[in-house]
Amino acid sequence: MKVCRTIVETRAALSERRDEPVGLVPTMGALHGGHLSLLRAARAESRVVVMSLFVNPAQFGDRRDLASYPREEARDLELAEAEDVDLVFAPSAEEMYPPGFQTWVEVTELGSILEGEFRPGHFRGVATVVLKLFEIVRPDRAYFGQKDAQQVEVIRTLIRDLALDVELRVLPTVRDGDGLALSSRNSLLTPEQRALALALPRALATRDRDAALALLRSTDGLEVDYVERADFDPPVLAGAVRLGSTRLIDNVVLEGEPR
Ligand code: AMP
């Protein structure tokens, strides 16, 4: 497995294998079973598997959130190697955002509702970094998790609107045995918060916005940002809650399958 820190290195390494299908799995690291399911799907479908590992500062509004985001690069590289990843692109923030950086991509309407309302600028950061990763890696397929349903919808819109030549692949949300969606941020929860966090998947499992809101509002120690039905493809009931300084999101698919 090759680990590349620069864009030039990555392009050079991939240029040798340009005639083989490339699958890209973008991640922010602190890998868990959700990331592994994306890596396995990519491995099964593509001759060349690229994982990006980049905690993208542009998608964090809150500096403390960025500072506390879990970083476990050595472990992540071991896990990627075990999943037979061919190349990890792990750039510095300066490599992705050199001095004078000023070009942004914004999915305007979709990027300003739900998560976008509570995290202004978040999807601008996501869309910009994903477009840049696509341009660096030039994947045939890119793999994302249904866990971040609105992110999937933003990227689908980005691909369509800018006619990007990449196939979007979406994998179902991977959960712990008790139902909590795996998330790198789960490691930031105290055991008490981890127990309270279960209210989120339980509330969403009602598949009813009002019932979910009532359940969450009756849970002490947990603040609700929103629970809304979103007309994505597929439609979901999505919610976001805060436990202390940790914010968790989740959703359930209401009709059909992630695709
Ligand atoms: P992140 O490292 O959190 O940016 O996530 C990288 C990718 O993994 C994104 O496409 C996420 O949607 C996906 N992902 C995160 N958590 C899960 C999960 N529990 N199940 C499936 N995919 C996930």
Side-chain angles (χ1 to χ4, degrees):
M1 184 178 81
K2 200 170 167 68
V3 180
C4 296
R5 303 279 170 191
T6 68
I7 295 167
V8 166
E9 236 184 311
T10 305
R11 286 195 166 134
L14 290 171
S15 69
E16 296 159 15
R17 306 190 62 171
R18 263 296 58 116
D19 48 348
E20 298 176 280
V22 175
L24 170 66
V25 180
T27 82
M28 298 204 299
L31 300 186
H32 52 64
H35 298 110
L36 301 188
S37 100
L38 302 183
L39 292 174
R40 284 169 196 164
R43 183 69 282 164
E45 294 176 356
S46 299
R47 287 293 293 280
V48 181
V49 176
V50 178
M51 179 180 97
S52 60
L53 199 174
F54 181 56
V55 182
N56 175 29
Q59 71 187 68
F60 287 79
D62 179 351
R63 258 201 256 127
R64 273 167 310 174
D65 186 26
L66 175 61
S68 65
Y69 197 83
R71 288 168 174 84
E72 305 167 3
E73 193 189 274
R75 178 178 167 271
D76 290 343
L77 295 179
E78 279 175 23
L79 287 168
E81 179 129 50
E83 296 302 331
D84 206 12
V85 168
D86 296 295
L87 187 151
V88 175
F89 175 50
S92 64
E94 294 70 35
E95 180 72 6
M96 291 300 273
Y97 299 101
F101 186 95
Q102 55 191 292
T103 307
W104 298 97
V105 193
E106 195 150 9
V107 179
T108 51
E109 282 169 43
L110 199 55
S112 61
I113 60 168
L114 301 173
E115 279 300 287
E117 189 181 332
F118 286 87
R119 302 182 72 188
H122 170 67
F123 287 117
R124 182 176 94 145
V126 169
T128 303
V129 85
V130 167
L131 178 59
K132 187 157 182 172
L133 290 171
F134 284 177
E135 188 49 35
I136 294 164
V137 175
R138 293 205 277 125
D140 297 274
R141 305 182 190 95
Y143 296 81
F144 292 88
Q146 178 64 24
K147 157 80 170 27
D148 298 275
Q150 190 175 1
Q151 172 170 279
V152 165
E153 203 66 13
V154 162
I155 291 161
R156 181 179 292 128
T157 305
L158 171 75
I159 291 172
R160 187 199 64 198
D161 288 355
L162 299 184
L164 306 181
D165 192 12
V166 54
E167 185 188 340
L168 175 63
R169 303 276 290 120
V170 183
L171 277 291
T173 302
V174 179
R175 296 176 182 281
D176 259 341
D178 59 7
L180 188 68
L182 297 185
S183 162
S184 302
R185 286 192 169 89
N186 291 354
S187 66
L188 303 173
L189 300 171
T190 65
E192 294 74 27
Q193 289 173 332
R194 172 72 181 65
L196 288 177
L198 274 184
L200 180 57
R202 285 186 184 147
L204 295 174
T206 64
R207 306 165 79 84
D208 178 288
R209 175 185 176 272
D210 295 344
L213 265 179
L215 204 150
L216 289 172
R217 285 188 178 140
S218 69
T219 308
D220 285 337
L222 177 155
E223 302 293 323
V224 188
D225 275 354
Y226 65 84
V227 177
E228 294 293 345
R229 191 192 144 97
D231 225 353
F232 299 157
D233 179 12
V236 294
L237 184 65
V241 299
R242 280 171 287 120
L243 297 121
S245 54
T246 305
R247 191 166 174 284
L248 299 180
I249 63 170
D250 196 357
N251 69 90
V252 289
V253 173
L254 295 173
E255 297 155 31
E257 296 293 324
R259 59 178 197 89

